[in-house]
Each structure stands twice: as C-alpha cells, then as structure tokens.
Amino acid sequence: MAHADAWLHDQAALTFQRLSALVRVADNAPARAALERLEQHFVTIFTNLHDVYGEHYDFFYHLLQIVQVALDAAADRPDELRELDQKRIAAPDWFQSEQMMGGVCYVDLFAGNLAGIREHIPYFHELGLTYLHLMPLYQAPQPHNDGGYAVSSFREVHPPLGTMDELASLARDLRANGISLVLDFVFNHTADEHEWAQRALAGEKTYQDYYWMFPNRTLPDQYEANLREIFPDQAPGSFTWRSEIARWVWTTFHPFQWDLNYANPEVFAAMLREMLFLANQGAEVLRLDAVPFIWKEVGTNCENLPQAHTIIRAFNALIRVAAPALLFKSEAIVHPRDVRSYIGADKCQISYNPIMMVALWDALATRETHFFAHAMNKQFALDAGSSWVNYLRSHDDIGWGFADEDAAELGINGFDHRRFLNSFYTGTFPGSFATGLPFNFNPRTLDMRISGTMASLAGLEQAESSGDNLLIELAVRRLLLLYSVVLSAGGIPLIYLGDEVGTSNDYSYVDDPAKADDSRWAHRPPRSLPRYAQRNDAATSAGRIFQGLQSMIQARQRTTAFRAGMTHFYALDNRHVLAFTRHERVLVLANFSEHSQQVNINGIMSATPLIDLLTETQFVSDALVTMMPYQTLWLTPDA
C-alpha cells in the first residue's frame, strides 16, 4: 500500500508538470494565485480522481478538462469574492464561531420572491441570523418537483422568484450584513426537463451516458434486489421506463428525477462547472443533497459506497482551488456511523445532525434523557475543521434513524421504539400532545416517518385548539427547551423559519392535487402574518417563543464557550434531566419533564456561586439544583 501511495504521489508530481504547461491561465495575480492553489491541492485532486477514473484510457484528458473548469471559474470569480476567499483562508474556523446562527426557508412561502427576502434582512438581524439557507429556488418542473429538488437548470432561478442576477445581488446584500448565503446543490440527480435529460431523450448518446439507462430489466432487477424504496407511497421502485428512448432510467426518488452517472468523468466535470457557477454568484455554503446515493454498484444497496467519499474529496479539493470560501454541507439521512463518515475538512466541513434531532424528539416523548446522552457520547464528537448543523426539523420528514446497537446497549428494542415514536408523534398514543402526520408508511417493513412543524409536534397546536392556558404554557416551554439544546450543544443552530413564532401545521396542502399525497407540505406553511405580528407581545405564545429564543441567541453569541468543540454529555441519576458541559466552562441542564426535578451536579460543576447565562440569576448551591418543568439552565462560574 505504501509503495502504491508513493507511486501515486510521484505520478501526481509528474502530471502537474505536464498539465500546468497545457492549461489556459491568464497572466495576472488572481490567475497565478489560483495556479499556486492548484499545485498545493493537486496531489489530493489527482489521487482521488485517479481512484475513480484511473481505469479510463483517456484519464489524462478528463483530468485536464476538470482542472481547466476549476481554473476558468477562478478567473471568473468576482473581486469581492476573491477578497472573501482570502478572509476565509486566514480564518478557516469561521463557521465554528458562537456567532453562527442559521435560518432556512422557501423563498416563495416566506417572502414571495427574492426581493421579499431582501426586505426581510432587518428581520434576520433582529432574530440574530448569520447564515440563511434558501431552499431550492432553481428552474424546476411544474407542478411536480419534489419541493424544488428536481432541478431543470442550476443557472436559472424559478421565474416567479426572480433571476440569477437578483440572487447574486441578494448574496452581496446578505454578505454586507454579516449573513452567509446557503444554497442547495442537488447532487444525485437532475429533473427530466434538464437540458442534459432532454438531449438524452432526443437520442444523443453523450447525454444518455450522463445517466443510468438500460434497454431491458436484466440489470435493473439485479440492482433492485438490494435497493430500498425511498418513497414507497409516491414513487415505488427505483427505475422508470421511458418509451421515447426505450430505456429504463434509474430514478431513486421520483420518476422525474434522473440519477446522474458519476462513473462517467464528464458528469463530474459538468457538475463541478455548475457548482462553481453557484459559488461565483455568492453562495458561501452548498448543501449537497442525497450524497449517499451518488455511486452505484451491483450487489450493494448503492448507498454510502467508498467512491461517494472519493468523489466528494475530489470536489472539495477543486473548490479550494477555485472558490476557497465555499463550504460543503452534507445531507445524509442514514445510519449514524454513515452520517459521520461524510464530515471532515477534506469532505463536507459541516453536516446536518439527524442523530441529535432524533434524540431530542425521543427525549421529549419519553421524558428520559439517558438515550440522548448515550448516543451523543458515541456520535457527537467530530474531527477538527468540521462542525454539526444542529436542527429540530427541516423541510423533510422525521425518520427515527438512531442506531439500533446504541439503543440495545440501554435495553431498548429499536423496532418497537420506532413504533412507539410514530404512535406518539401522530397523536395516537394515549396522552400524546403531538399532532404530527404519518409519511410513507411501508406495510412490508412497518417503517414510517413523521411530518409536522415544531409547534404541532411539541403540543402547541393541540394546546391552542383547546384554549387551555396551562397546556399552552407547557407547549411553549417544550419548544424553548428544544431550542436551548441545539443552541448550546456545539455547532451551527438552524431554525426552520416560522418555528420561531410557533407556526402550526398547514393542512390546506390536501386541496392541491400536486401536493395532496405528500404530508410534508403540512410543515411547509406560508409565513404567518398574524404570528409574526405578535412576536413582540409577551402575552401571546408567538411572543413568548420568539422573545425566549431571541434572548437565548443573544446569550449564545456573548459566550465564547459555545463555539464548536469540547462537549461532554452526562448520564445523571435523574433520568429526566439532560446535562452536558461546554469547554468545561458552561454546564447546560435541561429538564425534559413536565414536573419539577432536582439534580445533583456534584463532580460536574463544583465552582460556586454559579450564574445562569439565560436569566443572570445567581445559584449558591450545595450541588443540588431544583428545576422547574421544562426548564433549561446555562450555568457558569460567576466571576
């Protein structure tokens, strides 16, 4: 192995000499800087591309084309973004700061269009956001497009939302206000309306090779024997017959989403070109959608294969050449060990944290925190140069993707526990406060996922319907409890906008034929004008949630101990209370019960007096702390 590695390094050095004489590079300072970065990262680029494409007879030709794409993008990069590149190179840990605070929304549902998003920049400041993820806003088929994740063109904004020039202008305005723009990059597939797919349908062999296509069912049947169905209700199976070309097309998600063939180096080059186009519009983070699915191999489940990681490392290294300010965010809703495998400075620097999200909803339903602490102690720590994006829900459904082996270590049967959680969060379990909706029940596996806004899942919808002030109070406390954990645990907290004022499910989706069979639209409601108007009125639930969250964000941004890294979780004698420390300077306690609890913090935080960063209340204690229902404390020694 060492001999092979040495040979590859030697080959990389020789190849760089040949290649640098062939690439087109302008004679100016930015071009020379890009060429220097290419030399710095070339071994990584060469070795990873060689791993997946080295068997191609024309490997050097494709390598040259790919490198030229990166250098051309570097040449086209606006000066202001080159300045940002230098700033990020000088402070590569910028995204790990306690100042980071994320929000995510659909442009049309939150603000109508891109001009509306610009008008809300003062609101984003009011809330404390430094990171804004605009959900897929590209040209897409109508009306069926999987919430925008079927992309017809990465270079065109969906016309009702605005134009690509407007998006670039918005990115500048956000950046001037200290807010990083985050965009989706749909990594695994395109829409069947994309130019590449249309040219494939017209019979062009070059573009048919951009996708996985088969003349009969022989190979699809061999692949499908090991594949899981992602949307068994809406889109059963993984292949779609297209009579225009008499081919079966690989469609993991929906018939109108065609899987790209990354075994073809031309696809890699083409997707790099689209990726860098978006970087040059001002995106600072690209969310790589569905990364586990990008490599296919017969006899496997075609998820999380080694080549998927190799391809991401190659893209990452090329980004360091062309747009060093850009980060990748991984979207991998798979087994916890596989989620973690995509995260790292050389792959995706940040990643959604579905492990914490699931553990939080589990603790809220069970009122017990030992599983949370156990799972986090095994799964939460990351290597340097990377960070979690901690969230409570997204545009997508909630699937109970905890590791069965982690649950078994605590005597929990994973299958049975998932059935309990599904029952609890759809409101069918006796005493449940939740009003979630089932999503994609699979009668063969009994698997199911859950749809619902935070307010609906945490009991506010049910409480407000009843008019019971005590139930409303408890629901508000649950919401703030959940936020307190994602804000303090370490990483980038992310709010699905609308949740910060307690917006409930929107059931009108059933009246739209394009959405009626997809319960996820219930938790993608339009911005609630009445609830946002109430955000400064502490007598309303919207005001209580917003002001409580805003206060926590401000406390977080004042406290350097909340930057990423150094989190330790504890299993206390009191199973209702979650405890963890941050950089050994802050102790976070969270009571997941609707009853008062006492907890002994002896041996965790021995200094006294302590002060609660949330209320600035001083605690002089003999190590026994009394907590109110659903209360959170952020305790630190009172200097």
Side-chain angles (χ1 to χ4, degrees), residues 259-583:
D259 286 36
L260 288 160
N261 178 10
Y262 279 96
N264 179 354
E266 291 185 26
V267 169
F268 183 100
M271 290 298 277
L272 177 66
R273 192 174 290 111
E274 303 307 285
M275 187 183 289
L276 290 172
F277 172 83
L278 294 171
N280 282 355
Q281 306 313 301
E284 295 185 39
V285 179
L286 289 181
R287 171 194 177 275
L288 302 186
D289 179 64
V291 292
F293 299 90
I294 64 172
W295 193 265
K296 324 294 190 187
E297 193 169 304
V298 73
T300 75
N301 66 358
C302 298
E303 296 183 40
N304 307 303
L305 296 178
Q307 294 88 341
H309 299 273
T310 304
I311 285 169
I312 294 169
R313 279 192 293 265
F315 274 123
N316 187 318
L318 287 154
I319 292 297
R320 300 309 111 220
V321 175
L326 185 72
L327 300 181
F328 286 161
K329 176 167 68 170
S330 166
E331 189 261 353
I333 311 303
V334 286
H335 190 284
R337 67 171 173 269
D338 295 317
V339 172
R340 291 167 51 82
S341 70
Y342 292 97
I343 311 167
D346 65 337
K347 289 189 275 190
C348 296
Q349 296 89 346
I350 62 178
S351 170
Y352 285 110
N353 191 353
I355 312 163
M356 173 176 280
M357 182 268 292
V358 167
L360 279 167
W361 289 111
D362 174 85
L364 200 68
T366 63
R367 282 77 161 177
E368 293 199 352
T369 64
H370 274 204
F371 177 68
F372 185 105
H374 181 70
M376 290 302 102
N377 274 327
K378 294 185 69 172
Q379 308 289 357
F380 190 76
L382 295 175
D383 293 337
S386 56
S387 181
W388 289 115
V389 176
N390 296 319
Y391 69 113
L392 288 156
R393 65 97 170 184
S394 68
H395 74 288
D396 234 332
D397 55 276
I398 296 175
W400 306 114
F402 55 81
D404 282 357
E405 58 270 28
D406 290 352
E409 289 168 2
L410 296 179
I412 299 170
N413 180 290
F415 177 80
D416 291 343
H417 197 60
R418 288 185 181 89
R419 295 194 70 186
F420 158 71
L421 292 170
N422 284 330
S423 176
F424 188 92
Y425 282 108
T426 54
T428 59
F429 190 84
S432 170
F433 47 70
T435 50
L437 298 169
F439 179 71
N440 265 292
F441 174 70
N442 188 325
R444 180 173 55 84
T445 63
L446 301 183
D447 181 41
M448 186 173 81
R449 285 110 78 185
I450 300 296
S451 298
T453 67
M454 272 191 70
S456 294
L457 296 178
L460 186 60
E461 178 182 340
Q462 185 182 115
E464 289 187 335
S465 295
S466 74
D468 187 315
N469 288 331
L470 175 59
L471 295 180
I472 292 171
E473 173 66 17
L474 289 174
V476 168
R477 291 189 183 193
R478 287 188 203 101
L479 288 163
L480 292 175
L481 171 80
L482 294 171
Y483 276 130
S484 74
V485 177
V486 298
L487 283 163
S488 59
I492 303 172
L494 181 65
I495 302 166
Y496 190 99
L497 294 178
D499 285 349
E500 78 276 23
V501 292
T503 307
S504 292
N505 287 343
D506 175 15
Y507 299 104
S508 67
Y509 77 95
V510 297
D511 299 323
D512 184 339
K515 300 175 180 177
D517 66 347
D518 188 343
S519 66
R520 293 175 300 175
W521 285 105
H523 61 232
R524 302 168 183 171
R527 183 165 56 95
S528 172
L529 295 176
R531 296 197 78 89
Y532 276 95
Q534 295 171 349
R535 70 182 184 275
N536 294 315
D537 182 356
T540 66
S541 58
R544 285 279 317 282
I545 297 164
F546 180 84
Q547 291 174 37
L549 175 58
Q550 185 185 49
S551 177
M552 282 192 281
I553 293 170
Q554 292 168 356
R556 167 190 162 83
Q557 293 176 333
R558 291 193 300 266
T559 308
T560 56
F562 287 135
R563 70 180 290 108
M566 290 287 290
T567 306
H568 184 77
F569 298 87
Y570 297 85
L572 302 177
D573 290 339
N574 188 326
R575 300 173 70 93
H576 302 297
V577 179
L578 176 68
F580 57 89
T581 53
R582 300 303 325 286
H583 292 274

